[in-house]
Amino acid sequence: DYLENRSDQFSDFITILNRATIGRESAGSVKHLLSTYGNYTCFAPTNAAVQRHLFEQDSIYRASLVDDNPNDIVWTGVTSPELSELSDSMCKVISQTHLLNAVYLTTDMEGDIIPTMNLNDRYLSLSYDVDAAGLNVLLINGTGKIIAKDEEVENGVVHTIASVLNPSTNTVP
C-alpha cells in the first residue's frame, strides 16, 4: 500500500514487483508476497532510478556489441531501455535484490553488511559517504543511496533509494 499510495514516485518498481514471480512454479507475484504475512525491509528505487538503471545497463550491453567478438559481449540482462521490454526473470532478480525477509531500520544497520540475506540469497553491503551538504549518507551495495529512510509500514519498513541495486555476489558476510 505504501508504494501504491506513492505511485507517482514508485510506479516502475511496482511494475517490476508485479511481473516478478515467487519461485519457479508459483503464479503469485512478489508484490502479492509483500501484501501478505511477514516482516520485510524494502529498498524501493524511485522511477528516476529505475529509468536510469535500464538506460545504463542497456548502454553497457549495446557498447559491447560493437566489437563483433562474441566473447566480448557484456550480458547485463537488460537489452532495452524500456521497462516494458524487461524480461520477467530480470524483474525477479531486481525485485528480490531489494527485499529482505526481516525488518531493519537504519539504526539497526551497523558494520559492513546487513546480517540477513535478501530474497536472492545474497548479503547487502553497507558503506557510508558524505553528500554535497556535508551530511553522512548510507549506501547499500556501494551505490544505493538512501534518500528517505525508516518508513514503517504494517509488515515492515521501506527505505527509498536513489538507484537500483545491482545483484551482489557476496554469499558470505
Side-chain angles (χ1 to χ4, degrees):
D1 290 344
Y2 177 86
L3 297 175
E4 286 181 341
N5 290 338
R6 291 155 184 81
S7 61
D8 58 319
Q9 187 177 7
F10 299 111
S11 61
D12 288 348
F13 189 57
I14 293 168
T15 298
I16 290 169
L17 294 173
N18 277 323
R19 290 186 47 207
T21 57
I22 305 164
R24 285 188 239 186
E25 307 288 324
S26 176
S29 70
V30 172
K31 183 176 173 284
H32 181 262
L33 171 73
L34 294 177
S35 65
T36 60
Y37 300 107
N39 293 304
Y40 301 97
T41 298
C42 175
F43 296 100
T46 63
N47 288 342
V50 171
Q51 292 302 315
R52 187 173 50 255
H53 176 76
L54 293 174
F55 177 79
E56 289 170 355
Q57 296 301 304
D58 176 60
S59 296
I60 291 168
Y61 169 70
R62 290 192 186 284
S64 74
L65 296 176
V66 174
D67 208 4
D68 289 334
N69 183 349
N71 295 328
D72 291 338
I73 294 176
V74 178
W75 179 247
T76 63
V78 177
T79 58
S80 168
E82 299 299 322
L83 179 61
S84 61
E85 295 185 31
L86 189 63
S87 70
D88 291 346
S89 63
M90 279 307 298
C91 288
K92 183 175 181 176
V93 169
I94 291 170
S95 66
Q96 290 184 347
T97 297
H98 290 79
L99 299 170
L100 302 172
N101 198 4
V103 175
Y104 287 96
L105 297 171
T106 53
T107 54
D108 301 325
M109 296 181 201
E110 298 175 341
D112 296 334
I113 61 136
I114 298 174
T116 301
M117 290 181 163
N118 63 17
L119 296 186
N120 276 339
D121 294 327
R122 297 290 187 256
Y123 289 100
L124 299 177
S125 66
L126 299 172
S127 58
Y128 304 88
D129 200 3
V130 177
D131 67 9
L135 300 172
N136 289 328
V137 293
L138 178 60
L139 300 173
I140 309 300
N141 279 4
T143 59
K145 177 182 171 184
I146 295 179
I147 56 176
K149 63 183 180 179
D150 300 335
E151 294 291 338
E152 294 186 64
V153 295
E154 186 175 330
N155 63 341
V157 63
V158 176
H159 304 287
T160 302
I161 56 176
S163 62
V164 172
L165 301 176
N166 285 316
S168 170
T169 58
N170 297 330
T171 56
V172 178

